[in-house]
Amino acid sequence: MIKLESLSKQFGDTVVLDGIDLAIEKGEIVVIIGPSGTGKSTLLRCLNFLEQPTSGTMTVGDLTVDVNRASRSDILSMRRRTAFVFQNYALFANKTALQNIAERLLVVDKWPKEKAYKRAREILQQIGLADKADAYPAAMSGGQQQRVGIGRAMATGAEVILFDEPTSSLDPEWVEEVLGLMKQLAAERQTMMVVTHEMSFARDVADRVIFIDGGRIVEQGPPSEIFYHPQDPRTKDFLKKILATNPV
Amino acid sequence: MDVLNVEYMVGLIPVLLGYLPLTLKLAGTGMVLALILSCLLAVVRVLAIPVVNQLTILFISFFRGTPLLVQLFLFYYGLPQLFSSLTVIDGITATIMGLTMHFSAYMAESIRAAITGVDRSQTEAALSIGMTNGQMMRRIVLPQATRVALPTLMNYFIDMIKATSLAFTLGVTELMGATQKEAAGSFLYFEAFIVAAVIYWIVVEMLSKLQHYLEIRLNKAYSR
């Protein structure tokens, strides 16, 4: 239900994504790992059209877009089928937790107010922040803000939620509550693509781990294979380094 | 030094206050129009819309680069000469036009700075949930930019209230024009202008209080 074909992205002369081919099933939990600056975040950002890919085609659900021919409305439709969770939460500072979550339903989906807020309250309940409905982002902890960020993504009802290093900006004390919420979503078989350095999350939750280096998929497979029997020397080297600092 | 004629001053207060509504009308109308125009100019600048952007830069450059009095004279005396259908343009209209254009040029730059100051990750987040550029501007960017721009915009409003006094040069009898006439009749220039000055001062002080109140309200979302 998500299909990328020879997706490429260049910034000037620098090739960041070098012909990515990838298919992801509905309900699949995919974790993307790899060294910094190898295009993991760019891949997610391209899917949400926060970056304009240089070439290739993307399919999400029943929408297929040749990125070079994407019209304004194709871009909007693609964005509405994919939801994004940002490293730095990126909550709307002028809106409360409840309003952050309801915004998509009110403005994009044009739901009546009552229905939108009812749904937003259900989501607040799910993310364990029912008591923070009227709190503004500035008055919430990093962990709470990121959970609202995830709640905002859940409200979109998008086919896939893209997580771009969702715990990298958090103080260690808040990491677990965010990972816990992500595990809860995974258990509900919400399709997810997660870029993270949390190797234990990848091992425990992912259906598939993808190792990216130099803008290409080097190796992919179930966590048991990637973590315990990596084939490519680059994967081995990366895992050795990261597991030394982040033991699984 | 002669003693001030206090009795004259007290008697003058209600007379001059009678002209305050016109002063406030000039400034109030000018401010509303200038806000609308400056928001449009700022959005054009931020989105860098081709051609319109260049025209906007020229507009801002001209209205910031020339004295308000010159602009008022251009509108009042110049326009009817160019467009024969406008045999006369009344002083009030010319003043409002001048104030609007002059101040919108300044305000556009403050608003532009406030817009570009809104955290980029929030604009990305707005786009990521599928908002159009217009929805993003209206719902996320402009409300936050307003908060940042408010103190500066209030300063321009205060400045505009005082600038309405130039309308008397176009024959508009607002607060300043009325004071001038009263003083010319009584020869008590000092008394008359002191009363006028204090009236302007009190109005501005009241606005400063309003500004303070608005700032507290708009900061509500940002306090812990």
Side-chain angles (χ1 to χ4, degrees):
Chain A
M1 67 144 241
I2 296 176
K3 203 169 172 200
L4 307 178
E5 287 168 286
S6 20
L7 190 74
S8 297
K9 171 67 183 175
Q10 297 184 9
F11 289 106
D13 290 337
T14 315
V15 179
V16 183
L17 291 179
D18 190 7
I20 299 278
D21 290 299
L22 184 62
I24 292 170
E25 294 302 316
K26 188 172 169 61
E28 199 177 358
I29 318 299
V30 174
V31 171
I32 301 169
I33 60 172
S36 322
T38 52
K40 299 172 308 240
S41 292
T42 307
L43 176 61
L44 295 192
R45 291 171 59 82
C46 282
L47 256 165
N48 195 231
F49 265 110
L50 291 176
E51 303 289 351
Q52 169 73 43
T54 312
S55 62
T57 61
M58 305 196 290
T59 303
V60 176
D62 56 2
L63 178 73
T64 300
V65 176
D66 176 341
V67 298
N68 283 318
R69 296 200 192 132
S71 66
R72 203 178 273 235
S73 81
D74 287 336
I75 292 175
L76 266 186
S77 308
M78 194 55 97
R79 283 189 178 142
R80 288 171 186 181
R81 281 153 206 262
T82 53
F84 208 94
V85 175
F86 295 84
Q87 180 177 343
N88 60 356
Y89 338 128
L91 294 186
F92 306 131
N94 59 330
K95 302 200 176 286
T96 63
L98 184 74
Q99 291 168 335
N100 264 277
I101 294 171
E103 189 70 2
R104 154 72 181 243
L105 304 171
L106 287 170
V107 179
V108 176
D109 301 326
K110 313 258 190 254
W111 285 17
K113 258 192 184 159
E114 206 174 310
K115 190 179 166 199
Y117 285 124
K118 184 165 172 275
R119 175 75 187 118
R121 279 186 200 285
E122 285 169 15
I123 291 171
L124 274 175
Q125 198 86 43
Q126 281 176 292
I127 63 176
L129 290 174
D131 57 327
K132 290 285 175 187
D134 299 323
Y136 285 96
M140 287 190 271
S141 73
Q144 291 170 337
Q145 288 190 58
Q146 190 58 299
R147 279 149 72 196
V148 173
I150 294 172
R152 179 173 65 186
M154 288 161 67
T156 63
E159 311 240 2
V160 57
I161 301 184
L162 310 166
F163 293 82
D164 186 12
E165 304 203 22
T167 56
S168 298
S169 301
L170 289 173
D171 288 336
E173 53 182 321
W174 309 123
V175 171
E176 275 316 311
E177 67 180 60
V178 170
L179 291 179
L181 175 57
M182 291 168 65
K183 285 177 187 165
Q184 185 186 319
L185 284 178
E188 292 162 14
R189 303 318 293 175
Q190 160 71 54
T191 315
M192 297 160 62
M193 289 176 75
V194 184
V195 170
T196 186
H197 295 293
E198 293 287 336
M199 292 301 139
S200 57
F201 177 83
R203 189 198 56 190
D204 298 343
V205 181
D207 297 313
R208 184 170 17 152
V209 175
I210 297 178
F211 175 69
I212 291 188
D213 192 13
R216 293 182 183 196
I217 296 179
V218 175
E219 194 169 348
Q220 55 178 313
S224 55
E225 270 179 37
I226 300 292
F227 283 114
Y228 302 111
H229 308 288
Q231 302 299 311
D232 194 282
R234 281 177 288 176
T235 321
K236 288 179 186 168
D237 186 46
F238 170 76
L239 285 172
K240 206 166 90 187
K241 279 181 192 152
I242 193 145
L243 293 179
T245 48
N246 288 298
V248 174
Chain B
M1 194 183 94
D2 291 330
V3 184
L4 281 181
N5 189 336
V6 177
E7 202 180 326
Y8 172 74
M9 287 169 71
V10 173
L12 197 56
I13 293 172
V15 179
L16 292 187
L17 278 180
Y19 294 91
L20 184 60
L22 179 56
T23 290
L24 294 180
K25 181 186 148 189
L26 291 171
T29 317
M31 190 63 186
V32 170
L33 295 177
L35 268 177
I36 296 169
L37 182 58
S38 58
C39 278
L40 290 175
L41 296 173
V43 169
V44 167
R45 295 278 286 115
V46 170
L47 300 179
I49 301 168
V51 186
V52 198
N53 192 23
Q54 277 72 41
L55 291 175
T56 302
I57 292 172
L58 183 67
F59 178 94
I60 292 175
S61 168
F62 177 79
F63 282 98
R64 282 212 304 186
T66 54
L68 176 57
L69 191 58
V70 173
Q71 294 163 14
L72 290 178
F73 278 26
L74 264 177
F75 287 125
Y76 188 64
Y77 299 110
L79 280 188
Q81 183 190 332
L82 282 186
F83 304 100
S84 46
S85 59
L86 277 170
T87 43
V88 283
I89 176 168
D90 73 276
I92 292 180
T93 311
T95 304
I96 291 174
M97 281 173 72
L99 292 174
T100 299
M101 303 214 183
H102 184 79
F103 281 91
S104 67
Y106 284 95
M107 286 158 55
E109 291 295 285
S110 313
I111 293 173
R112 182 171 73 99
I115 288 176
T116 47
V118 174
D119 182 11
R120 205 179 111 87
S121 70
Q122 287 186 50
T123 60
E124 285 199 335
L127 295 178
S128 86
I129 61 169
M131 285 193 193
T132 61
N133 278 323
Q135 289 169 335
M136 172 190 85
M137 274 289 167
R138 218 170 47 243
R139 312 252 332 164
I140 308 299
V141 177
L142 289 180
Q144 294 185 61
T146 305
R147 168 179 162 263
V148 175
L150 182 79
T152 327
L153 295 182
M154 285 301 278
N155 273 342
Y156 285 128
F157 187 34
I158 285 169
D159 213 12
M160 192 186 282
I161 289 175
K162 294 179 290 180
T164 57
S165 58
L166 291 176
F168 102 97
T169 61
L170 308 187
V172 179
T173 311
E174 38 61 70
L175 185 51
M176 174 68 186
T179 312
Q180 169 72 20
K181 281 181 187 163
E182 291 294 328
S186 63
F187 297 108
L188 293 171
Y189 287 97
F190 191 82
E191 283 86 343
F193 285 113
I194 268 291
V195 171
V198 170
I199 292 175
Y200 280 117
W201 190 7
I202 290 173
V203 170
V204 168
E205 272 306 300
M206 281 161 52
L207 272 171
S208 302
K209 289 272 183 297
L210 174 69
Q211 173 180 355
H212 183 68
Y213 166 78
L214 285 176
E215 279 177 29
I216 290 175
R217 261 196 61 156
L218 287 172
N219 278 328
K220 202 180 65 179
Y222 301 85
S223 50
R224 279 165 189 276

